[in-house]
Amino acid sequence: MTLSLTVPARFCGPPRSGNGGWTAGALAALVPGRTVAAGTVEVTLRRPPPLDTEIPVTVPSDGLACEVAEARAVDRELWLAAAETPDRAAAAEASYAGLRHHPFPTCFSCGTGRGPGDGLRIFPGRVADSPAGGRRVAATWVPHASVAGPAGGAEVAEPVTWAALDCVGAWSDDLEERPVVLGRMTARVDSPPVGGARYGLVGERRAVQGRKTLTASAMYDESGRVLACAEHVWITVDPAAFG
């Protein structure tokens, strides 16, 4: 089997490298024997993914591997970030810290420098902490037609769904003081989102361990049904090193 991964420049995080969630989702979609709506996949990012560069992907016995990341199917439950209604999530967006200062304004998922229909423009703001005391943020998302699936239907492509679940986790920590990049993302998509519908996204900080921050995120439809969820490991970095 010959596989490869290419991150188009549109799907950047920092200006010179791929958005971690999109890259992880693109690799997850290649894992043999699973479909978009079946299976949990763990992706570990080893270095910043280059843009517009074809990267060969190998298929070892326990998943996929390439020079920038590894992916494998896992069988475990994921932490579920507590729900917020889309209305409460929309109200929280006015407090989005990235509107004051953003370490990576080019980010496909949460960048303030991306226009409507180009980036996802997911802008999570603070909401009430979880019952366990975890800091939480929330935002809404209405998928644009430009991120529909490759078959031309209404379903959003899997890498974009992972991107939507990505930075909402990071913003549950203090990105203004602790800029981070994605080191690992484990996600499950139970029901792909569709273009034009409105969703609520929630991020929750679970723990801080030195340079690592552990977070979780979830996507809910307007009825409160969970569509997808994820866990993340973030690594504190100097944004200047990423351009």
Side-chain angles (χ1 to χ4, degrees), residues 133-188:
R135 173 177 165 141
R136 296 170 66 244
V137 294
T140 56
W141 178 44
V142 178
H144 189 269
S146 68
V147 295
E155 290 187 355
V156 171
E158 184 170 17
V160 176
T161 302
W162 280 56
L165 291 166
D166 177 14
C167 298
V168 67
W171 286 101
S172 66
D173 196 23
D174 187 357
L175 246 65
E176 293 176 283
E177 297 298 325
R178 281 174 55 93
V180 296
V181 294
L182 188 64
R184 176 174 292 161
M185 183 169 178
T186 309
R188 185 185 78 242

Side-chain angles (χ1 to χ4, degrees), residues 66-162:
C66 64
E67 64 182 57
V68 301
E70 300 166 0
R72 64 188 184 100
V74 294
D75 183 15
R76 66 177 180 86
E77 293 297 316
L78 297 180
W79 184 282
L80 186 62
E84 287 288 344
T85 67
D87 286 344
R88 288 198 296 266
E93 292 171 353
S95 65
Y96 176 45
L99 296 173
R100 299 188 299 270
H101 171 72
H102 199 304
F104 302 116
T106 58
C107 179
F108 172 67
S109 176
C110 66
T112 51
R114 305 296 293 264
D118 176 27
L120 302 185
R121 294 178 58 84
I122 296 171
F123 296 161
R126 284 293 302 273
V127 291
D129 290 350
S130 73
R135 173 177 165 141
R136 296 170 66 244
V137 294
T140 56
W141 178 44
V142 178
H144 189 269
S146 68
V147 295
E155 290 187 355
V156 171
E158 184 170 17
V160 176
T161 302
W162 280 56

Side-chain angles (χ1 to χ4, degrees), residues 4 6 14 20 24 47-48 66 72 103-104 126 143 146 148 181 187 190 194 203 208 220 225-227 230 237 242:
S4 65
T6 300
R47 69 180 185 86
C66 64
R72 64 188 184 100
F104 302 116
R126 284 293 302 273
S146 68
V181 294
D190 295 325
V194 296
V208 177
Y220 295 88
R225 178 174 63 105
V226 180
L227 275 72
V237 297
F242 288 80

